[in-house]
Amino acid sequence: MAIRQLTRPRTTWYRPRPVRCAAAALLLGTAAIANGAPPTLDIRLNNHLFEPSELDVPAHTQVRLRIENLDATPEEFVSWELNRKKLIPGNHTAILYVGPLAPGSYPFFGTFNPKTALGQLRVQ
Amino acid sequence: MLIDSVIIVLREVIAVAFLASVLLALAYYLRMPAPGLRATTALGLVAALLFDVFVRALFDRFDGFGYELATVALDALIWMTLLAVIAVLAITPKRPQARAVLARLMSAALLLAITREGSEILVYFSSLSGQEDAISDALTGAVIGVGVGFSAGTLFYYLQLAQRPDAALRTGAILLALIGSGICAQGSLLLIQADLLPAQTPLWDSSDWVQESSPLGQLLYALIGYEATPSPLMVGVWLGSMAIALSAALGGRHLAGRRVAGVEGHAHDPRRRP
């Protein structure tokens, strides 16, 4: 099943959760860009679920992701499309930079819980 | 859980298995003692545990990029050890003094690689704490993953033994250079994600040919640091490390002052089993 997931086209294997923060992300982006610093987007990892699971990111802009692992166990944040991989110990917060990105969808997942820890960046 | 465990463990084991197969094949052609796999693996797992503790202690330091810096430092150690192996290979592999140094360098390279990949496996198992029902599946998957990785490494080892003796050292050096360049490229990615190196628009997108998430893509990632969308900096790091490895080999030959003779092929037919 996992191998089928790996070979499925990336736009079909991910099932988004309903929670979004598009307006907040864009507002943060606008404010941060005005200050010259990359905008920061917050993601929480709780019960092996990314919250929010979808984030809207401005295109061609470097973005700072702050991922807070609220679980007691570690998780590895991975995205093949973003070329990012970071281990996050339990009850720790990880920071990493992504972008500048062309418009499109960039899925990410937790290696240790690939069926539940799923999310994507929507760049537009 | 079983399949996830197989994939996670296999991804880490296969990188070590291929490095081990190259080093063992070189040791075979040079008729020198092979790196002790059991002792090196045991020491490597202990070192992996210590490295995991070290990374967790450093995680929040350096503006939250302690993980990246610690991993890149380990990658740099592995790369320099592989460079040293390539250089000594080119000097005089048939001299006893050089062979003793080479044996130690090979063991060190293997130990560091096991530390690097083993720490991820140990962290994976630590993520299962509190999930007793998942641990047995994870252990079974790990055994399968190790078995498949070991089999792949063995196959690659015997493929190397099938080549001509005079090409063995050159092939081994090239394979070590490829592995080292892949490690350097992966290190550069970590520095980019920490904003310690500049982020750039990808130079090309080869995901239509080989997707990174595919089994082939992950195999190539583990072996040579394949990225479907590499930045110019990452490509430059990869090419630069290959150039440095070539310089190490040429420098070694220059120090030796004579052409590397290769193996005494007439007295040692690698196609015969020992």
Side-chain angles (χ1 to χ4, degrees), chain A residues 2 6 62 73-74 76 80 83-89 92-97 99-100 111-112 114-115, chain B residues 3-4 7-8 11 59-60 64-65 67-68 120 123-124 126-127 129 190 192-193 195 199 212-213 218 227 229:
Chain A
L6 289 173
Q62 190 185 37
T73 54
E76 187 177 51
W80 301 113
N83 292 336
R84 294 294 181 265
K85 180 181 175 183
K86 183 153 186 173
L87 189 66
I88 313 172
H92 275 75
T93 300
I95 295 171
L96 55 96
Y97 290 84
T111 305
F112 303 154
K115 293 181 180 59
Chain B
I3 297 291
D4 294 339
I7 291 172
I8 290 168
R11 204 156 45 200
F59 191 85
D60 294 322
F65 298 116
Y67 164 79
E68 283 83 353
E120 298 219 17
V123 170
Y124 166 62
S126 74
S127 76
S129 64
L190 289 176
I192 290 171
Q193 88 178 16
D195 204 27
E212 281 182 61
S213 55
Q218 291 191 41
E227 289 287 339
T229 53

Side-chain angles (χ1 to χ4, degrees), chain B residues 7-269:
Chain B
I7 291 172
I8 290 168
V9 172
L10 177 59
R11 204 156 45 200
E12 311 304 333
V13 167
I14 206 158
V16 176
F18 274 92
L19 175 62
S21 72
V22 173
L23 296 175
L24 288 172
L26 284 169
Y28 181 79
Y29 276 113
L30 293 170
R31 304 176 73 180
M32 54 183 275
L37 280 180
R38 276 177 290 188
T40 307
T41 302
L43 277 173
L45 289 175
V46 172
L49 192 62
L50 293 173
F51 181 71
D52 180 44
V53 171
F54 177 66
V55 167
R56 286 171 196 255
L58 275 188
F59 191 85
D60 294 322
R61 295 179 185 263
F62 305 104
D63 294 329
F65 298 116
Y67 164 79
E68 283 83 353
L69 292 174
T71 308
V72 167
L74 180 59
D75 288 349
L77 264 178
I78 297 172
W79 178 62
M80 286 189 288
T81 309
L82 292 178
L83 275 185
V85 170
I86 292 169
V88 174
L89 267 178
I91 293 175
T92 43
K94 287 184 285 183
R95 284 190 184 167
Q97 302 91 326
R99 288 185 178 194
V101 171
L102 193 57
R104 287 188 176 87
L105 286 172
M106 285 181 174
S107 296
L110 201 52
L111 179 80
L112 290 170
I114 293 171
T115 302
R116 182 180 189 255
E117 310 299 341
S119 67
E120 298 219 17
I121 296 176
L122 291 175
V123 170
Y124 166 62
F125 277 100
S126 74
S127 76
L128 298 174
S129 64
Q131 302 178 50
E132 283 76 19
D133 53 337
I135 288 179
S136 64
D137 277 349
L139 282 172
T140 306
V143 168
I144 295 172
V146 169
V148 172
F150 183 79
S151 301
T154 305
L155 178 64
F156 197 53
Y157 170 73
Y158 281 106
L159 278 176
Q160 292 174 81
L161 296 195
Q163 63 183 327
R164 292 194 329 268
D166 57 348
L169 293 185
R170 191 166 46 244
T171 305
I174 290 171
L175 288 172
L176 290 178
L178 284 171
I179 293 170
S181 297
I183 289 171
C184 281
Q186 291 171 22
S188 71
L189 268 186
L190 289 176
L191 294 178
I192 290 171
Q193 88 178 16
D195 204 27
L196 295 171
L197 286 177
Q200 298 167 316
T201 307
L203 203 51
W204 67 69
D205 184 352
S206 57
S207 55
D208 287 340
W209 296 341
V210 182
Q211 279 197 349
E212 281 182 61
S213 55
S214 66
L216 177 60
Q218 291 191 41
L219 176 65
L220 291 174
Y221 172 82
L223 296 182
I224 61 171
Y226 169 76
E227 289 287 339
T229 53
S231 66
L233 180 63
M234 188 183 166
V235 173
V237 165
W238 196 92
L239 290 174
S241 61
M242 285 294 288
I244 292 172
L246 177 64
S247 303
L250 292 175
R253 287 178 65 176
H254 178 72
L255 279 174
R258 58 188 170 97
R259 199 162 166 250
V260 175
V263 198
E264 294 161 337
H266 65 278
H268 181 65
D269 183 1

Side-chain angles (χ1 to χ4, degrees), chain A residues 17 19-21 42-44 50-55 108 118-120:
Chain A
R17 298 185 71 223
V19 180
R20 301 183 181 190
C21 65
D42 289 303
I43 304 173
R44 290 176 307 282
F50 285 116
E51 297 167 353
S53 58
E54 282 191 347
L55 297 99
F108 54 84
L118 298 167
Q120 70 172 353

